[in-house]
Structures are given as structure tokens and as C-alpha cells.
Amino acid sequence: MKQLVMAERFCLIGHIVSMAFGLAGLLLVLPNPGLVLSLPASGQTFFQWSMAGGGVVYIVLGTAAVAIYAYRTLGWWRWLAFMVPSVFIRWGANCWEPVLGFRLVTMPI
């Protein structure tokens, strides 16, 4: 159980840090392109990586943190009873979107 708590905290802290890093990038760096241009080549590469994959990181870490917490508090059966239908409803709505021509679920991915 201690390992689950440590994994949950790691994912939660990583989620919060990546959210703060992304917010700082949007509020500070994007309005001031001179900051990016003044970075060394390695800094510009790191900024490109963060802009390309930063959103995926915070979504995956947040999902993992909540999934571990739900498993610890509810158990496998109740966690899966919620998670499986919710994932398939979301994926199904995404698959039907191009066919119907409008969004069934307004929550961003």
C-alpha cells in the first residue's frame, strides 16, 4: 500500500508541476517571443518538446494519480465499474463526431 501512495503522490506532483510549467509557458513565454530567441539551442529544443508533449504528460499523470487513488479507496471492481464505461463513452463520442458533424461531448480531450 505504501508503494501505491508513493506512486500516487509522484503522479500528482508531476501533474501539478507540468501544469505550472505549461501555464508559465503560455503566460510568460508565448507573449514574449524574445525570451525563446534568447535561449541557447538546448533551451529552445526543450521548449519545443514541452510545447509538443507537455499536454499529454499532465493528462496522463493526472489520470494515473486519480486511478491509483480510486483503486486504493474503492477497490478494483468499483474502479473498473466506473472507468470502463466512461472511457468507452468518451471514445465512442469521439468516433461519432466526424460522422455526425458536431461534438457529442464538449469536454476537451
Side-chain angles (χ1 to χ4, degrees), residues 5 24 26 34 36 42 44 46 53 59-60 62 67 71 84-85 88 91 105:
V5 172
L26 289 174
V36 177
S42 61
Q44 290 180 1
F46 183 68
I59 290 172
V60 169
Y71 165 69
V84 170
F88 282 113
W91 282 349
V105 180

Side-chain angles (χ1 to χ4, degrees), residues 15-81:
H15 171 73
I16 292 170
V17 168
S18 64
M19 287 282 287
F21 187 73
L23 186 61
L26 289 174
L27 295 177
L28 299 175
V29 178
L30 285 181
N32 303 313
L35 289 173
V36 177
L37 296 175
S38 66
L39 292 173
S42 61
Q44 290 180 1
T45 303
F46 183 68
F47 179 73
Q48 288 175 345
W49 287 347
S50 68
M51 286 282 121
V56 173
V57 171
Y58 90 83
I59 290 172
V60 169
L61 288 176
T63 303
V66 170
I68 294 169
Y69 175 76
Y71 165 69
R72 281 192 321 108
T73 57
L74 301 175
W76 275 112
W77 180 248
R78 289 184 181 143
W79 175 69
L80 285 175

Side-chain angles (χ1 to χ4, degrees), residues 87-109:
V87 166
F88 282 113
I89 288 170
R90 180 64 189 159
W91 282 349
N94 264 358
C95 290
W96 275 102
E97 179 183 330
V99 174
L100 297 176
F102 61 89
R103 290 188 72 88
L104 293 172
V105 180
T106 57
M107 181 177 60
I109 297 173

